[in-house]
Amino acid sequence: MGMPEIALAAKQLARAQHSGVLGTHSTSMPGYPFGSVVPYYLTPEGDAVIYISDIALHTRNIKANDKVSLTIFDNEEDDSQANGRVTIMGNAMCVNDSHIEAQYIRLFPQAKGYKQTHDFNFYVIKTERVRYIGGFGKIHWVDKAYWHQEKQEWHSNVDGMITHMNEDHVDAMSLILKHTLNVGVLAPKMCGVFPEGAHYTDGDNVWFVPFEDVCLSAKHVREQLVIQTKQAREALSPAIEN
């Protein structure tokens, strides 16, 4: 497995999870790391987005030292040592970006009310390096040259793609979820599209379905969705007929 394939596997694992351990430099106990659990998502380019309150201790730590880490792992598996995990290291910076906010709310709709309680802001962790462990003996450093995706025009224009899928292709999305994840949802909604795959929700849960290839255009995304739908129909049609 070459480094591009390793980076893709690491990024798809990170996209499939929805929370991680944020590591910051403690201001109250200098020299010690401070860990806290935060929701996140990865931008199309591969940077992690978190939404945190100004009064939170980790936010105060970031303002004093912006060098952070975010450790992600599959918490549904029993053997944590054999499971894949990803640690993203980078610099956290506060941003005000409508596209980032819209995507975050699609994945975490409960966050809409956070600003009414405390002063929340979006921070982007600009990735410098990634540590990926794919299981026993599968340990790799991934430099940002392999992790980072160049910004494409379609990254900022996913609303139309998501609306089209949710209005016209609910049956296809249901088949994709059933085939790839064995999840039975009659009316799923797409809530995110990224170069490595797409997120779907039933309102309570969010699932990530990876693409076979990294998509560098809207046309490529459509092709991947068509392939997944065709594969699901072919695999599930005998069961449906019986």
Side-chain angles (χ1 to χ4, degrees), residues 72-236:
I72 302 156
F73 55 92
D74 187 351
N75 56 17
E76 294 184 358
E77 297 294 336
D78 294 330
D79 188 349
S80 60
Q81 291 300 312
N83 293 343
R85 54 251 195 220
V86 173
T87 298
I88 296 171
M89 284 157 283
N91 300 80
M93 56 183 294
C94 188
V95 297
N96 182 9
D97 186 305
S98 60
H99 295 297
I100 283 177
E101 180 174 0
Q103 180 57 75
Y104 191 94
I105 296 300
R106 278 196 291 264
L107 289 169
F108 306 105
Q110 67 274 18
K112 286 182 180 179
Y114 288 0
K115 277 190 176 292
Q116 299 174 7
T117 306
H118 299 295
D119 188 10
F120 275 73
N121 290 289
F122 289 99
Y123 282 76
V124 174
I125 300 173
K126 305 294 288 185
T127 304
E128 287 297 322
R129 209 175 186 198
V130 173
R131 183 73 162 174
Y132 171 57
I133 301 176
F136 287 121
K138 300 177 181 178
I139 303 171
H140 307 276
W141 282 107
V142 182
D143 290 333
K144 64 180 179 180
Y146 291 98
W147 183 265
H148 182 76
Q149 290 287 335
E150 291 297 326
K151 186 173 182 60
Q152 305 288 327
E153 182 179 353
W154 73 270
H155 294 171
S156 300
N157 295 284
V158 299
D159 289 357
M161 192 181 303
I162 291 173
T163 298
H164 172 67
M165 291 296 294
N166 289 339
E167 289 182 351
D168 299 333
H169 298 290
V170 174
D171 290 346
M173 293 188 293
S174 183
L175 287 171
I176 289 171
L177 283 171
K178 181 64 177 176
H179 175 54
T180 57
L181 302 178
N182 197 28
V183 171
V185 181
L186 293 178
K189 288 185 177 294
M190 180 180 280
C191 57
V193 186
F194 299 93
E196 301 84 14
H199 286 91
Y200 303 91
T201 183
D202 63 355
D204 296 316
N205 305 286
V206 176
W207 301 278
F208 176 73
V209 178
F211 296 144
E212 292 181 355
D213 303 309
V214 176
C215 294
L216 300 179
S217 68
K219 180 176 180 291
H220 198 178
V221 172
R222 287 192 294 270
E223 291 171 349
Q224 287 292 300
L225 290 170
V226 169
I227 289 171
Q228 289 182 340
T229 302
K230 182 179 178 181
Q231 290 174 341
R233 286 202 174 109
E234 290 176 350
L236 297 173

Side-chain angles (χ1 to χ4, degrees), residues 21-24 34 36 66-71 87-90 125:
V21 179
L22 176 67
T24 56
F34 179 78
S36 52
D66 65 0
K67 292 180 172 61
V68 305
S69 67
L70 183 68
T71 300
T87 298
I88 296 171
M89 284 157 283
I125 300 173

Side-chain angles (χ1 to χ4, degrees), residues 16-81:
Q17 306 305 312
H18 311 295
S19 65
V21 179
L22 176 67
T24 56
H25 293 266
S26 177
T27 52
S28 58
M29 293 187 66
Y32 287 88
F34 179 78
S36 52
V37 176
V38 295
Y40 74 92
Y41 86 89
L42 296 185
T43 67
E45 295 78 36
D47 297 321
V49 173
I50 56 177
Y51 190 40
I52 52 179
S53 169
D54 280 345
I55 67 172
L57 185 55
H58 49 225
T59 308
R60 283 182 276 166
N61 292 343
I62 288 172
K63 289 181 177 180
N65 187 332
D66 65 0
K67 292 180 172 61
V68 305
S69 67
L70 183 68
T71 300
I72 302 156
F73 55 92
D74 187 351
N75 56 17
E76 294 184 358
E77 297 294 336
D78 294 330
D79 188 349
S80 60
Q81 291 300 312

